[in-house]
Short mmCIF file of all heavy atoms in Angstrom, two decimals:
data_model
loop_
_atom_site.label_atom_id
_atom_site.label_comp_id
_atom_site.label_asym_id
_atom_site.label_seq_id
_atom_site.Cartn_x
_atom_site.Cartn_y
_atom_site.Cartn_z
N SER A 2 -5.56 -12.03 -19.28
CA SER A 2 -6.93 -11.68 -19.00
C SER A 2 -7.17 -10.27 -18.62
O SER A 2 -6.22 -9.56 -18.10
CB SER A 2 -7.47 -12.65 -17.95
OG SER A 2 -7.02 -12.30 -16.70
N SER A 7 -6.14 -5.61 -14.94
CA SER A 7 -6.78 -4.72 -13.87
C SER A 7 -5.67 -4.67 -12.69
O SER A 7 -5.38 -3.54 -12.12
CB SER A 7 -8.11 -5.19 -13.37
OG SER A 7 -9.02 -4.96 -14.31
N GLY A 8 -5.25 -5.81 -12.32
CA GLY A 8 -4.23 -5.88 -11.20
C GLY A 8 -2.98 -5.15 -11.53
O GLY A 8 -2.42 -4.44 -10.59
N ALA A 26 2.90 16.83 1.51
CA ALA A 26 3.74 16.57 2.74
C ALA A 26 3.54 17.70 3.68
O ALA A 26 3.87 17.62 4.89
CB ALA A 26 5.13 16.42 2.40
N TRP A 65 -16.38 -4.86 7.45
CA TRP A 65 -16.26 -3.47 7.64
C TRP A 65 -14.95 -3.27 8.48
O TRP A 65 -14.16 -2.48 8.27
CB TRP A 65 -17.40 -2.83 8.25
CG TRP A 65 -18.43 -2.45 7.31
CD1 TRP A 65 -19.58 -3.19 6.90
CD2 TRP A 65 -18.57 -1.33 6.50
NE1 TRP A 65 -20.31 -2.64 6.01
CE2 TRP A 65 -19.80 -1.34 5.64
CE3 TRP A 65 -17.79 -0.08 6.48
CZ2 TRP A 65 -20.26 -0.34 4.79
CZ3 TRP A 65 -18.23 0.80 5.61
CH2 TRP A 65 -19.31 0.74 4.85
N HIS A 76 -2.65 3.42 5.36
CA HIS A 76 -2.39 4.67 4.77
C HIS A 76 -2.05 5.85 5.80
O HIS A 76 -1.16 6.73 5.55
CB HIS A 76 -3.51 5.17 3.95
CG HIS A 76 -3.59 4.46 2.72
ND1 HIS A 76 -4.34 3.30 2.61
CD2 HIS A 76 -2.97 4.67 1.47
CE1 HIS A 76 -4.11 2.75 1.36
NE2 HIS A 76 -3.39 3.56 0.61
N LEU A 101 6.36 -9.81 3.46
CA LEU A 101 5.49 -10.07 4.66
C LEU A 101 4.35 -10.93 4.24
O LEU A 101 3.98 -11.89 5.05
CB LEU A 101 5.27 -8.87 5.35
CG LEU A 101 6.31 -8.24 6.09
CD1 LEU A 101 5.91 -6.84 6.77
CD2 LEU A 101 7.00 -9.13 7.16
N ILE A 102 3.88 -10.67 3.11
CA ILE A 102 2.71 -11.52 2.61
C ILE A 102 3.15 -12.91 2.54
O ILE A 102 2.41 -13.88 2.95
CB ILE A 102 2.10 -10.94 1.35
CG1 ILE A 102 1.30 -9.74 1.57
CG2 ILE A 102 1.22 -12.04 0.68
CD1 ILE A 102 0.82 -8.97 0.28
N ALA A 107 2.11 -18.61 5.83
CA ALA A 107 2.31 -19.97 6.46
C ALA A 107 1.35 -20.03 7.79
O ALA A 107 0.56 -20.84 7.80
CB ALA A 107 3.72 -20.18 6.77
N ALA A 138 22.91 7.17 6.97
CA ALA A 138 22.80 8.66 7.14
C ALA A 138 21.44 9.06 7.06
O ALA A 138 20.84 9.03 5.97
CB ALA A 138 23.66 9.40 6.15
N GLY A 177 -17.53 1.74 0.27
CA GLY A 177 -18.06 1.98 1.84
C GLY A 177 -16.78 1.99 2.58
O GLY A 177 -16.72 2.84 3.57
N VAL A 215 -5.07 5.83 -3.79
CA VAL A 215 -5.90 5.54 -2.74
C VAL A 215 -7.36 5.41 -3.13
O VAL A 215 -8.30 5.30 -2.28
CB VAL A 215 -5.77 6.62 -1.75
CG1 VAL A 215 -6.50 6.47 -0.37
CG2 VAL A 215 -4.25 6.88 -1.38
N LEU A 249 10.48 9.22 -7.14
CA LEU A 249 10.90 10.08 -6.09
C LEU A 249 12.26 10.74 -6.55
O LEU A 249 12.40 12.06 -6.21
CB LEU A 249 11.06 9.23 -4.73
CG LEU A 249 9.79 8.89 -4.07
CD1 LEU A 249 10.11 8.07 -2.83
CD2 LEU A 249 8.98 10.16 -3.52
N ALA A 264 20.28 -1.38 -1.23
CA ALA A 264 19.15 -1.80 -0.43
C ALA A 264 17.97 -2.04 -1.29
O ALA A 264 17.19 -3.09 -1.10
CB ALA A 264 18.71 -0.71 0.56
N ARG A 280 6.03 -19.56 -8.27
CA ARG A 280 5.68 -20.08 -9.56
C ARG A 280 6.07 -21.52 -9.69
O ARG A 280 5.34 -22.36 -10.16
CB ARG A 280 6.53 -19.28 -10.65
CG ARG A 280 6.04 -17.84 -10.74
CD ARG A 280 6.64 -17.12 -12.01
NE ARG A 280 7.88 -17.28 -12.17
CZ ARG A 280 8.78 -16.32 -11.71
NH1 ARG A 280 8.35 -15.34 -11.03
NH2 ARG A 280 10.10 -16.50 -11.89
#
Side-chain angles (χ1 to χ4, degrees):
S2 69
S7 295
W65 279 91
H76 287 88
L101 289 175
I102 287 176
V215 186
L249 285 171
R280 292 197 305 271

